[in-house]
Amino acid sequence: MSNEIKTHYRACNLCEAICGIVVKTQGREVVSIRGDENDPLSQGHICPKAMGLKDLFEDKDRLRQPVRKTENGWEKISWEEAYDTVAQKINESREKYGNDSVGVYLGNPNAHNTGAIVMNPMFLRALRTKNKFSATSADQLPHHIAGRFMFGHFFLLPIPDIDRTDYMIIMGANPMASNGSIMTVPNVGKRLRAIQERGGKVVVVDPRRTETSRKADEHVFVRPGKDVFLLLGMVHHIIEQGWADLGKLQDFTDGLDELKNLVEDFTVEEAARISGVPAETIKQLAKDLSQTKRAVCYGRMGLSTQAYGGLCIWLINVINIITGHFDTEGGMMFTAPAFDNLKTVGVGKHSRWKSRVSGYDEYFGELPVVALAEEIETEGPGQIKTMITIAGNPVLSIPNGKRLEESFKQLDFMVAIDIYINETTSHADIILPSTNGLETLQYDLVFHSFAVRNTAKVGMPVFDRLPEQRHDYEILGELTKRVTGNTAMQLPPLEMMLDMGLQSGPYGISMQQLKNEPSGIDLGALKPCLPGRLFNEEKRIQLCPPEITKDMARAKSHLGKNDTEELVLIGRRQLRSNNSWMHNSYRLVKGKNRCTLLIHPNDAEKFKVENEQIVKVHSRVGSVEIQAEVSDEIMEGVVSIPHGWGHNRKGNRMEVAQAHAGVSINDLTDEQLVDSLTGNAAFSGVPVTVVPMT
Ligand SMILES: Nc1nc2c(c(=O)[nH]1)N[C@H]1C(S)=C(S)[C@@H](COP(=O)(O)OP(=O)(O)OC[C@H]3O[C@@H](n4cnc5c(=O)[nH]c(N)nc54)[C@H](O)[C@@H]3O)O[C@H]1N2
Ligand SMILES: Nc1nc2c(c(=O)[nH]1)N[C@H]1C(S)=C(S)[C@@H](COP(=O)(O)OP(=O)(O)OC[C@H]3O[C@@H](n4cnc5c(=O)[nH]c(N)nc54)[C@H](O)[C@@H]3O)O[C@H]1N2
Ligand code: SF4
Ligand SMILES: [Mo]
């Protein structure tokens, strides 16, 4: 091996910010990882997780070859044997019980993995199962549903034009910790500061005084799960004051009159009573948003994962549209990605089938994760007997993870395509490990589409895969061949497919051009594109699609009612975590215990809890024991636990993570708390009780 130091340019694939990195290597050693100042999007920014890529590459616990569970523990097997066994088990299940007996769960890293994005659809088509699930319904499904019914495509999602706005409301998002979501925004701190430096203002609406709110000009506490009333109150006020102005959208937007009727009963006073946001604040937010020329209201995870997730995300779009902040500079805009994946996937079919046990609607080929455990547990035709997880850790990620974990024991067979033996994959019979991060070819097919600026960038593998390793797209391809029996099938080379997509895209860029400019190419600021970009046949924005507004009756039935919960639970993200799977990096977990229960001093007094004391938190579905952290950064009546922890489960083979185990918030979250409109999990506002341990 050579001692020469080599320099590689690519993007970090861990979160949506896709920061440009410069990786220096010597042989198979990572010497350094730093931010790429020439990356047109991230301009040198990285976060502490970037160095985690080195730890991931080196991690001794990471699997590099298939393993099979035996009575004597895990045993390495060859790829041929692994593929053959898995395909045979899948096909046996299909023959014996039908196609739907095979369940699939796709996790978040798929969205960051070029090969998986290209090959997953092919594999899933081959399985022909209705039991397909993914992290989408524990996350952003309401955004896709709003996109589908308002703009005609489930993937057409508006992005805040943060670099040109002068007023930004951030609701239910903490980009200073998450680095942004459905807003690829590396170095968000600098971009927020720039708003202030040009005389603008940032307001954060959140039940917790977050890292982002500390950068903002104003923070507003809102009761978890009650944003829908705040938003309805704002829309009501905007309309009542005569501030609604569609601007240029007037020519191609339907439904303003209907909107007026729908919000009539949602007065500012009632919105204030339910949401806990003072009426004066609601009026001020509505006024500032309406009367600032370049303004935007952004809402994310904290809004989409609540009982009114669908209405919340719809209302975020509505409020930007009716205040003239849509498809305009500094408002919500659409991207024009170099690889236009909207053209390669359909607009999003839905409601073609329902989940067998609870009757949840299918959206875009998937059923909601809240239904996964019951579909495994409940006997009868269509019961899941064989489970496939692909880059997912649902035991830690979906509501009532314990129930799912128990249900796995009932399966005939389970296979995990994953890099670790963790809380989920330890239940598998076979694990097929893929390459990861620095070992992969990367063109970000998803997050360029969600970025605050149009750019394009390709990353070539920093390290060749070892002979015993396989890429996700190879694994998915080989399984597809065997499941369909079409062993002669040629797998399309990834690079060629990317090149074709890029060349036929709006800029006609080639792979070679991107390789010649490894820091990436700048394609400019977001541009107005409506009505041309709309995907519905009428080419008109639907302000009040019936598929969404049908849920207004539920919101209406809440008017005049009082809530009875004394204490409700929300989550939180931390800069040095990445969902559930980066806790095996010592540099990211070392230091003070981060898996704590945030509780307000008044609640601590009420429930006789001392700072740093271990408390027991109970919900309908279970309980956890956790250290309390008394702090007034959390709203009274609300407690918070970060998600992605809980590595103390039996069978886990991640040494560092186990030594920093924490507990899983999803042993408390409840699969019965769902946004009934979309089927999305409602993580925010789970009723809990807290009891000090003696
Ligand atoms: N209470 C609560 N629950 C939540 C959330 C919350 O805020 N609060 N957030 C939700 C959200 S937004 C999401 S996206 C979900 C995430 O839910 P999941 O996607 O189920 O969970 P992850 O922790 O991302 O797990 C990723 C898995 O992929 C594996 N992996 C990593 N890289 C690769 C790769 O390149 N190839 C393969 N094959 N495997 C890989 C990891 O080992 C791990 O097992 O969790 C949701 N759950
Ligand atoms: N460091 C790190 N970065 C990540 C991830 C990670 O795990 N760690 N995960 C990635 C993933 S998969 C995603 S989807 C994104 C998510 O990125 P974001 O959408 O920014 O998600 P969070 O950081 O969880 O911020 C959600 C905020 O909503 C607040 N909140 C909770 N309930 C409510 C409510 O009812 N109303 C309102 N108004 N606010 C509420 C919480 O207090 C929190 O501040 O982050 C990505 N980036
Ligand atoms: S912000 Fe996200 S993409 Fe950027 S370095 Fe951190 S983890 Fe990687
Ligand atoms: Mo997510």
Side-chain angles (χ1 to χ4, degrees):
M1 230 177 274
S2 100
N3 283 331
E4 189 193 341
I5 299 223
K6 286 194 180 150
T7 308
H8 314 256
Y9 300 86
R10 57 189 284 122
C12 170
N13 62 303
L14 293 175
C15 88
E16 299 183 31
I18 55 172
C19 298
I21 51 173
V22 183
V23 186
K24 292 219 156 88
T25 60
Q26 191 169 28
R28 284 188 76 81
E29 181 95 18
V30 177
V31 179
S32 67
I33 298 178
R34 59 176 179 80
D36 183 354
E37 269 133 42
N38 296 321
D39 183 295
L41 188 61
S42 63
Q43 299 167 353
H45 176 262
I46 50 167
C47 85
K49 288 187 296 299
M51 274 308 275
L53 291 170
K54 173 179 161 73
D55 303 335
L56 263 175
F57 176 68
E58 291 169 357
D59 193 343
K60 67 171 179 49
D61 290 336
R62 184 162 66 101
L63 300 174
R64 290 169 179 83
Q65 196 181 328
V67 289
R68 169 171 51 203
K69 196 186 277 157
T70 72
E71 280 174 7
N72 305 318
W74 292 95
E75 154 192 298
K76 284 186 187 166
I77 54 172
S78 74
W79 280 101
E80 284 307 303
E81 187 183 352
Y83 288 145
D84 286 344
T85 312
V86 169
Q88 192 195 336
K89 290 285 185 185
I90 289 173
N91 281 342
E92 267 174 28
S93 189
R94 298 169 74 203
E95 275 155 32
K96 201 161 159 196
Y97 305 107
N99 290 336
D100 297 336
S101 70
V102 178
V104 191
Y105 172 89
L106 284 99
N108 169 275
N110 285 298
H112 300 264
N113 181 326
T114 318
I117 292 172
V118 171
M119 290 305 289
N120 267 324
M122 197 151 121
F123 180 53
L124 293 165
R125 258 197 312 276
L127 294 175
R128 292 199 277 159
T129 175
K130 295 195 182 81
N131 279 317
K132 202 189 119 190
F133 302 81
S134 87
T136 290
S137 53
D139 185 353
Q140 83 287 5
L141 180 58
H143 292 261
H144 296 305
I145 289 177
R148 173 69 183 83
F149 295 125
M150 300 182 80
F151 318 123
H153 197 300
F154 80 108
F155 218 76
L156 188 58
L157 309 184
I159 311 301
D161 187 18
I162 189 171
D163 291 341
R164 292 182 295 184
T165 201
D166 298 315
Y167 180 72
M168 185 169 189
I169 302 176
I170 300 177
M171 294 180 71
N174 185 12
M176 285 304 295
S178 69
N179 284 293
S181 183
I182 315 191
M183 171 171 71
T184 283
V185 64
N187 210 350
V188 68
K190 185 175 148 199
R191 294 175 200 262
L192 291 174
R193 206 160 47 242
I195 298 178
Q196 296 161 330
E197 281 166 5
R198 57 180 175 261
K201 192 173 164 186
V202 180
V203 183
V204 170
V205 181
D206 200 298
R208 188 184 142 229
R209 209 177 310 115
T210 60
E211 294 81 348
T212 305
S213 71
R214 278 175 222 138
K215 298 269 171 192
D217 301 273
E218 190 181 334
H219 170 254
V220 177
F221 279 125
V222 62
R223 287 201 192 110
K226 301 298 188 274
D227 304 77
V228 64
F229 301 101
L230 166 62
L231 286 163
L232 284 165
M234 284 171 72
V235 172
H236 179 105
H237 191 64
I238 288 165
I239 290 173
E240 196 180 61
Q241 295 297 313
W243 294 332
D245 179 7
L246 299 177
K248 63 164 194 173
L249 303 189
Q250 197 165 349
D251 296 342
F252 50 89
T253 300
D254 294 326
L256 188 57
D257 288 335
E258 197 188 335
L259 183 71
K260 289 178 184 167
N261 292 332
L262 282 171
V263 302
E264 207 180 327
D265 297 340
F266 295 85
T267 59
V268 169
E269 290 65 34
E270 188 60 359
R273 192 187 65 80
I274 302 177
S275 70
V277 179
E280 281 317 305
T281 308
I282 299 178
K283 289 181 187 166
Q284 192 66 45
L285 290 171
K287 186 175 179 187
D288 290 345
L289 185 68
S290 304
Q291 305 200 339
T292 309
K293 187 159 180 284
R294 306 194 303 176
V296 70
C297 180
Y298 163 71
R300 205 24 214 110
M301 174 82 196
L303 294 201
S304 63
T305 60
Q306 52 170 277
Y308 287 105
L311 288 183
C312 278
I313 300 305
W314 165 65
L315 285 164
I316 291 281
N317 289 338
V318 162
I319 210 163
N320 286 303
I321 293 170
I322 65 166
T323 53
H325 300 314
F326 204 83
D327 199 40
T328 54
E329 249 187 53
M332 280 288 187
M333 300 191 80
F334 292 114
T335 59
F339 188 119
D340 190 0
N341 46 17
L342 266 67
K343 300 239 164 81
T344 64
V345 294
V347 297
K349 294 193 174 141
H350 61 92
S351 312
R352 288 168 295 177
W353 60 84
K354 285 185 185 297
S355 73
R356 188 177 55 108
V357 181
S358 287
Y360 290 111
D361 259 328
E362 166 255 358
Y363 278 107
F364 323 130
E366 296 183 15
L367 293 170
V369 286
V370 290
L372 178 52
E374 68 185 19
E375 291 298 331
I376 299 175
E377 290 163 358
T378 313
E379 282 176 20
Q383 181 185 11
I384 298 174
K385 294 280 193 180
T386 293
M387 190 70 208
I388 306 171
T389 64
I390 308 176
N393 191 2
V395 167
L396 293 194
S397 314
I398 76 170
N400 201 354
K402 273 240 161 77
R403 178 174 173 188
L404 181 69
E405 187 175 33
E406 280 305 307
S407 78
F408 281 162
K409 295 176 187 157
Q410 260 176 269
L411 293 167
D412 286 353
F413 181 77
M414 176 164 162
V415 56
I417 304 181
D418 206 287
I419 57 175
Y420 285 119
I421 303 177
N422 64 20
E423 302 75 19
T424 295
T425 64
S426 59
H427 297 273
D429 298 282
I430 289 184
I431 305 177
L432 304 174
S434 65
T435 53
N436 182 263
L438 300 179
E439 298 155 340
T440 62
L441 170 72
Q442 172 199 40
Y443 176 87
D444 212 303
L445 288 165
V446 173
F447 300 107
H448 283 308
S449 314
F450 295 159
V452 298
R453 190 173 180 88
N454 293 313
T455 64
K457 170 166 184 148
V458 72
M460 300 311 286
V462 172
F463 298 106
D464 290 335
R465 66 161 170 76
L466 298 170
E468 66 269 30
Q469 286 186 295
R470 295 293 180 272
H471 297 300
D472 279 290
Y473 71 86
E474 292 176 295
I475 300 171
L476 293 161
E478 288 303 321
L479 289 178
T480 306
K481 282 189 195 173
R482 284 167 173 80
V483 165
T484 56
N486 184 0
T487 44
M489 188 169 74
Q490 290 290 320
L491 300 180
L494 198 51
E495 225 181 293
M496 198 181 87
M497 289 183 61
L498 289 173
D499 192 44
M500 273 164 52
L502 286 165
Q503 299 225 35
S504 61
Y507 313 93
I509 298 172
S510 69
M511 267 297 265
Q512 194 52 53
Q513 264 172 290
L514 289 182
K515 283 190 197 173
N516 293 346
E517 295 194 54
S519 292
I521 296 181
D522 188 20
L523 301 166
L526 305 184
K527 288 186 193 67
C529 62
L530 295 188
R533 188 68 169 157
L534 297 172
F535 274 75
N536 47 23
E537 269 168 33
E538 41 319 340
K539 289 257 176 212
R540 296 178 69 80
I541 294 177
Q542 298 304 329
L543 206 48
C544 292
E547 294 88 345
I548 295 176
T549 53
K550 66 181 180 192
D551 201 29
M552 281 296 288
R554 185 165 61 112
K556 233 177 209 166
S557 73
H558 206 101
L559 292 174
K561 299 231 174 83
N562 290 320
D563 289 315
T564 50
E565 296 99 15
E566 205 171 14
L567 207 54
V568 295
L569 175 69
I570 63 167
R572 69 182 187 273
R573 275 180 166 68
Q574 300 170 318
L575 188 59
R576 286 188 295 134
S577 291
N578 197 34
N579 294 325
S580 75
W581 65 281
M582 286 296 288
H583 293 149
N584 219 38
S585 162
Y586 179 69
R587 85 177 83 224
L588 295 180
V589 289
K590 69 180 180 204
K592 206 170 123 215
N593 170 29
R594 302 205 302 269
C595 187
T596 59
L597 178 89
L598 281 179
I599 183 166
H600 188 274
N602 294 352
D603 291 319
E605 201 182 313
K606 190 160 148 193
F607 299 104
K608 304 195 170 30
V609 171
E610 306 267 329
N611 191 32
E612 297 194 359
Q613 186 179 10
I614 304 293
V615 295
K616 197 159 189 170
V617 187
H618 295 267
S619 74
R620 184 193 71 86
V621 311
S623 65
V624 300
E625 287 173 23
I626 184 170
Q627 194 178 45
E629 187 177 337
V630 180
S631 164
D632 66 1
E633 74 178 43
I634 192 89
M635 197 177 177
E636 210 176 325
V638 183
V639 289
S640 162
I641 298 177
H643 83 288
W645 298 89
H647 308 297
N648 47 4
R649 283 165 144 91
K650 208 173 127 244
N652 192 344
R653 293 287 186 87
M654 298 172 72
E655 206 180 319
V656 179
Q658 275 175 294
H660 302 80
V663 295
S664 176
I665 184 178
N666 289 324
D667 290 344
L668 294 170
T669 58
D670 189 335
E671 76 281 18
Q672 290 181 5
L673 299 178
V674 191
D675 172 24
S676 55
L677 176 66
T678 63
N680 204 86
F683 290 122
S684 291
V686 179
V688 290
T689 55
V690 170
V691 185
M693 307 281 288
T694 41

